[in-house]
Amino acid sequence: MRQSKEAAAESRRRIVTHAARLFRERGIEGASVVDLMRAAGMTHGGFYKHFASKDELVAEALESAFADIAARFDAAAASSTPRDAAEAYVARYLQIGHIEQPGIGCPVAALGGDVGRAGPSAQSAFEKGVCSLTARLAQGFFSDSADGEKKALALLSTLAGTVMTARSVANPGRREAILAAGNETVRAQLARA
Amino acid sequence: MRQSKEAAAESRRRIVTHAARLFRERGIEGASVVDLMRAAGMTHGGFYKHFASKDELVAEALESAFADIAARFDAAAASSTPRDAAEAYVARYLQIGHIEQPGIGCPVAALGGDVGRAGPSAQSAFEKGVCSLTARLAQGFFSDSADGEKKALALLSTLAGTVMTARSVANPGRREAILAAGNETVRAQLARA
DNA sequence: TGTACATCAGTGAACGCGCGTTCACTGATGTAC
DNA sequence: TGTACATCAGTGAACGCGCGTTCACTGATGTAC
């Protein structure tokens, strides 16, 4: 049965949102079209009414994941300062909750490895997202530095590496040790600003 | 046709070695049993004469990848000093060649994300490998520090995060920027030692 | 040392299954008169 | 404003394909006498 334009657009948005979460939870190849459509409350046949291929959705879901982060970042910056927003972002990044909930966490930590082996459309969307994130970190922490973007890239690499490594081990104590160790590195990176 | 014990053992070793490379190049799910056996110069049917399942090979291939690194590390330490071996390891880690050749590079950077979603046998093997690597980094850089293991965990997280992030973007200039930025973080981490 | 036989590494066809994608169909929505 | 018809979002069966795994078979290796 045909849906109204509004309902169809809402369906599309729902697919992208759930894909952004499931890809981060299960990996790009670990979340199938059937899974994604079921999560969005539909059957798989309708998928190609909205997207030309799974690849197209992957790119859009990555954009959506980074856009969510940027929006929350900007909202926090607007209600306090860019610096406070960046501080809060980093503080949340290195908490155990982020390790345990990849679906609503950083796409770099969750999917950086996958995207390194993915197609050009996914890599392109990902690269834009990395830039949008580092731009905000640079503005928050290194706005008076000539190479603020570079420092922000280093900060993001440290953050993502810490969370990815913590997730790769099962032992809770070692996870905490990796998070604590990463936190010290990050503090030093910020102190140099 | 039956193979001699030595030939069979050699076949097994060949499968593990090629798996250790292909998993790092294509991801754990991206390298199929057919691919792995073909790379080892055999047909897929013989796989289960050597391994109970693909999972079993995954764990063994991860062990092998980390064992290779440990062996090269120890050889370098023996012919110079643990410190020089660790310095050389880090210097190689952050070169563009490492980005371009994941198959012979660090398993943490290549497969950390995959292992975070993998089964317990893979995670267990991976965790042992991470410990063997951080133990060597700690001995090389932080042998006089009480929390040398922690500092080494932070160092490994930074290294792996830098290489993973660099691989996730396609633009060569940005790759170099990420590597250069990561190098500065690492230098600061080592200077604090 | 030579012979007869059991073992088993490796082959290649076959298995069920889930994947991404296609397609005929349904029926409410949107449009033209 | 009411009616007839085209559109198209969503359904569910079906497609070919590659996956991990199984199995009957082959024939050289290893073993027992």
Side-chain angles (χ1 to χ4, degrees), chain B:
Chain B
M1 7 168 169
R2 185 176 182 184
Q3 302 281 93
S4 72
K5 279 186 179 180
E6 295 80 28
E10 168 58 25
S11 291
R12 192 181 209 282
R13 249 174 273 125
R14 220 166 47 238
I15 297 169
V16 172
T17 301
H18 283 93
R21 178 176 56 82
L22 284 172
F23 285 144
R24 278 176 284 185
E25 286 178 356
R26 306 182 192 174
I28 291 174
E29 291 176 356
S32 72
V33 170
V34 168
D35 291 337
L36 299 167
M37 291 300 281
R38 188 175 298 151
M42 301 161 67
T43 56
H44 64 279
F47 180 83
Y48 295 88
K49 287 292 189 306
H50 295 291
F51 307 96
S53 65
K54 186 183 175 184
D55 270 4
E56 188 176 308
L57 172 63
V58 168
E60 208 157 321
L62 290 174
E63 281 172 29
S64 167
F66 279 109
D68 270 9
I69 291 166
R72 271 182 287 165
F73 211 112
D74 293 346
S79 75
S80 56
T81 67
R83 170 89 197 194
D84 285 346
E87 287 279 9
Y89 184 76
V90 168
R92 288 208 125 204
Y93 204 112
L94 293 174
Q95 274 167 9
I96 193 76
H98 188 196
I99 307 302
E100 290 162 353
Q101 300 197 322
I104 55 173
C106 177
V108 182
L111 298 174
D114 286 39
V115 170
R117 305 174 219 116
S121 64
Q123 288 202 351
S124 169
F126 202 79
E127 192 161 352
K128 280 179 196 160
V130 166
C131 289
S132 113
L133 187 46
T134 51
R136 281 166 177 81
L137 290 171
Q139 200 207 345
F141 288 125
F142 315 113
S143 59
D144 51 357
S145 168
D147 58 350
E149 290 279 341
K150 189 178 174 187
K151 286 176 179 168
L153 274 176
L155 175 58
L156 179 59
S157 295
T158 302
L159 290 168
T162 300
V163 165
M164 176 190 64
T165 307
R167 283 187 185 138
S168 75
V169 303
N171 183 293
R174 190 157 289 117
R175 285 192 162 186
E176 291 284 6
I178 292 169
L179 279 188
N183 191 60
E184 288 191 13
T185 306
V186 166
R187 288 302 136 201
Q189 282 177 291
L190 297 182
R192 271 181 290 144

Side-chain angles (χ1 to χ4, degrees), chain A residues 119-144:
Chain A
S121 64
Q123 290 202 349
S124 169
F126 202 80
E127 191 161 354
K128 282 177 195 159
V130 166
C131 289
S132 112
L133 188 46
T134 51
R136 281 165 178 81
L137 290 171
Q139 200 206 345
F141 288 126
F142 315 113
S143 58
D144 51 357

Side-chain angles (χ1 to χ4, degrees), chain A residues 139-158:
Chain A
Q139 200 206 345
F141 288 126
F142 315 113
S143 58
D144 51 357
S145 167
D147 58 350
E149 290 279 341
K150 189 177 173 187
K151 285 176 180 168
L153 274 176
L155 175 58
L156 178 60
S157 296
T158 302

Side-chain angles (χ1 to χ4, degrees), chain A residues 11-96:
Chain A
S11 291
R12 192 181 209 281
R13 249 175 272 126
R14 220 166 48 239
I15 297 169
V16 172
T17 301
H18 283 92
R21 178 176 55 83
L22 284 172
F23 285 145
R24 279 177 282 185
E25 286 178 356
R26 307 183 192 174
I28 291 175
E29 291 176 356
S32 72
V33 170
V34 168
D35 292 337
L36 299 167
M37 291 299 281
R38 189 174 298 151
M42 301 161 68
T43 58
H44 64 279
F47 180 83
Y48 296 89
K49 287 292 188 307
H50 294 291
F51 306 96
S53 64
K54 186 183 176 184
D55 270 5
E56 189 176 307
L57 172 63
V58 169
E60 208 157 321
L62 291 173
E63 281 171 31
S64 167
F66 279 109
D68 270 9
I69 291 166
R72 270 181 287 165
F73 211 112
D74 294 345
S79 76
S80 56
T81 67
R83 171 89 197 195
D84 285 347
E87 287 280 9
Y89 184 76
V90 168
R92 286 208 127 203
Y93 204 112
L94 292 174
Q95 272 166 12
I96 193 75

